[in-house]
Amino acid sequence: MKLHNKEIKDTTFVKKRLPVWDILKLFAIFLVIWGHSIAAFSSSIIDENPVYIWLNGFHVGLFMMVSGYFSSSALRLSPLRFLSKKLYQLIYPCFAWGGIKWIIIETTLIVSGGLASLSLSGLLSDLYWFSDFWFLKSCFLCFCIAYLGNMMPIKEKYWMPLTLIISQVIPPFSIPFMYPCFLIGIIIKKNEILMKGIVSHPIILFILFSAMLFFWDQEAWDKSHGIPTDIFTRDILYITELLFYRSYRLVLGVLGGLTFISIFHNAFNKIFYSPIINTLSGWGKYTLELYIVQSFVLEQTLSRFIKFDNYSLAIFNFLITPIASIVILLLCLYIIRLIYKSQKISKFLFAKENHNGFG
């Protein structure tokens, strides 16, 4: 019995998984930590920091594009197998780590005298289940949208634009921005000629991306996400402006993702056995874990005690926070390594065992 009227074929530019993709994932999570470091280590209004705005213009788009690139095997699963696998892989860790965060925060409040006992209402609040680890939930929804589209009894040239349109009316977790990037990842995995074209034009992509990034400022950032509460009372000019900035952000995110895919393929695609490359690609396999652990290390802990408000913006953005991000990334890797020493703990926290080996 066929579960699909079609299957996604692995007609990819590269027939096997190469280190370049894991290194690209490691670079993407570094950009995430860098952006979070800028927000965590400054007391100023973060939306006024240009580097923070630039990073948020494309780095999650790159991450989602890579996720879409590796989604083909999941899209071929049976409905029950697909749902159970993705819930366990992407949603379960949100509950496991959300529960840990609840215990830590509530216990801290009890010790400080701000709370009499553990609060069940606190456990069920938005703080732990909805807002935290939003990228994992966004990734889950993108997988679901693409899977439902692939299940439709129509050709992919129809279900892809159809799901793209549907994604634009699903507001949670930045789906209108994230799903198009996810879908492009699927497309470039399936289209060998397109992938070759992307890899062959890194300079052109970089120039276009840099030109768009130059005009990506605070006003563009402010108007590119979220839905104003008074949207229905505004005139058509205001709505058109919002649509322009949202479209601009989407194109910027796509160009950024394609640019770094091209650059990294040209830089690393032919290198297989370098010890440094093998180490970096090994680290890149743990981006999900890095995303979760950095939330505790950086956003919940270090941000409370460390501020660099006495330095110039240039030193803060291009020296202090990049170095801090590397240190935090290495610290998180060490913590992840400790967790993976126990199969039971790693399975409980990350919903998987360490099959790749941390050495």
Side-chain angles (χ1 to χ4, degrees):
M1 177 180 177
K2 292 186 178 180
L3 296 171
H4 301 257
N5 67 329
K6 55 196 171 299
E7 289 186 353
I8 294 180
K9 298 178 181 179
D10 290 325
T11 55
T12 176
F13 177 62
V14 180
K15 299 300 180 183
K16 62 180 180 178
R17 182 162 178 166
L18 296 176
V20 60
W21 286 101
D22 289 317
I23 296 173
L24 186 60
K25 287 167 60 182
L26 183 66
F27 174 71
I29 195 63
F30 166 76
L31 294 180
V32 170
I33 295 175
W34 185 10
H36 289 174
S37 295
I38 292 174
F41 296 141
S42 174
S43 300
S44 60
I45 300 175
I46 196 59
D47 288 351
E48 296 178 356
N49 188 303
V51 175
Y52 178 82
I53 293 172
W54 293 339
L55 290 174
N56 276 277
F58 71 92
H59 69 341
V60 289
L62 169 61
F63 227 137
M64 194 58 76
M65 205 174 292
V66 175
S67 298
Y69 185 88
F70 287 108
S71 68
S72 60
S73 60
L75 299 184
R76 293 196 298 265
L77 297 173
S78 67
L80 183 60
R81 174 60 178 157
F82 168 81
L83 190 60
S84 62
K85 181 177 181 179
K86 288 307 166 184
L87 281 172
Y88 191 51
Q89 180 186 49
L90 297 172
I91 302 302
Y92 167 77
C94 299
F95 282 86
W97 288 89
I100 293 173
K101 182 176 290 188
W102 169 69
I103 293 173
I104 293 174
I105 293 179
E106 300 279 311
T107 302
T108 302
L109 290 174
I110 292 174
V111 172
S112 65
L115 196 67
S117 62
L118 292 178
S119 169
L120 182 60
S121 62
L123 174 63
L124 300 176
S125 70
D126 173 84
L127 173 64
Y128 303 108
W129 309 121
F130 193 76
S131 298
D132 288 2
F133 314 119
W134 71 271
F135 180 84
L136 299 184
K137 296 160 190 172
S138 180
C139 193
F140 173 76
L141 288 178
C142 287
F143 266 102
C144 289
I145 295 170
Y147 184 83
L148 291 174
N150 190 53
M151 288 282 290
M152 292 180 182
I154 56 177
K155 296 180 179 179
E156 65 182 28
K157 67 178 180 179
Y158 298 120
W159 75 253
M160 285 187 173
L162 178 61
T163 57
L164 182 63
I165 294 172
I166 293 173
S167 72
Q168 298 307 297
V169 295
I170 303 177
F173 312 122
S174 298
I175 293 299
F177 172 72
M178 303 292 268
Y179 182 73
C181 297
F182 187 89
L183 189 60
I184 288 175
I186 296 176
I187 293 171
I188 63 176
K189 176 69 179 286
K190 292 169 58 64
N191 194 315
E192 182 177 345
I193 296 176
L194 177 60
M195 186 63 183
K196 286 182 177 179
I198 292 168
V199 173
S200 301
H201 298 90
I203 296 178
I204 294 176
L205 288 169
F206 180 77
I207 291 174
L208 292 174
F209 170 61
S210 300
M212 290 197 69
L213 195 63
F214 181 79
F215 294 101
W216 182 247
D217 55 16
Q218 183 181 356
E219 180 184 11
W221 165 251
D222 290 339
K223 294 181 178 180
S224 66
H225 60 285
I227 301 177
T229 56
D230 60 346
I231 184 69
F232 295 109
T233 64
R234 296 298 191 114
D235 56 32
I236 189 65
L237 182 61
Y238 177 81
I239 296 175
T240 302
E241 186 180 33
L242 289 183
L243 291 175
F244 168 78
Y245 283 119
R246 288 164 193 266
S247 301
Y248 195 97
R249 182 193 181 197
L250 177 57
V251 175
L252 176 65
V254 170
L255 269 177
L258 296 179
T259 297
F260 286 107
I261 288 174
S262 182
I263 290 174
F264 274 68
H265 265 268
N266 281 281
F268 299 108
N269 197 37
K270 296 182 180 180
I271 303 175
F272 295 95
Y273 302 110
S274 165
I276 295 178
I277 297 302
N278 290 340
T279 298
L280 293 177
S281 64
W283 291 350
K285 296 174 183 178
Y286 294 90
T287 49
L288 182 148
E289 294 90 331
L290 283 166
Y291 171 74
I292 293 173
V293 174
Q294 67 82 34
S295 173
F296 280 81
V297 172
L298 174 58
E299 299 175 70
Q300 297 297 323
T301 305
L302 296 181
S303 63
R304 299 174 183 269
F305 305 104
I306 302 175
K307 300 294 178 183
F308 295 102
D309 295 328
N310 297 325
Y311 294 88
S312 69
L313 194 62
I315 292 177
F316 176 77
N317 282 334
F318 297 108
L319 183 62
I320 294 177
T321 51
I323 293 175
S325 299
I326 293 174
V327 172
I328 292 167
L329 189 149
L330 294 174
L331 175 59
C332 291
L333 282 167
Y334 178 73
I335 294 172
I336 294 166
R337 180 172 184 169
L338 293 179
I339 292 173
Y340 272 121
K341 287 184 178 295
S342 169
Q343 291 188 356
K344 291 183 179 179
I345 296 176
S346 62
K347 196 169 184 178
F348 171 73
L349 294 177
F350 296 128
K352 63 181 180 180
E353 299 172 1
N354 183 22
H355 298 296
N356 297 319
F358 245 121

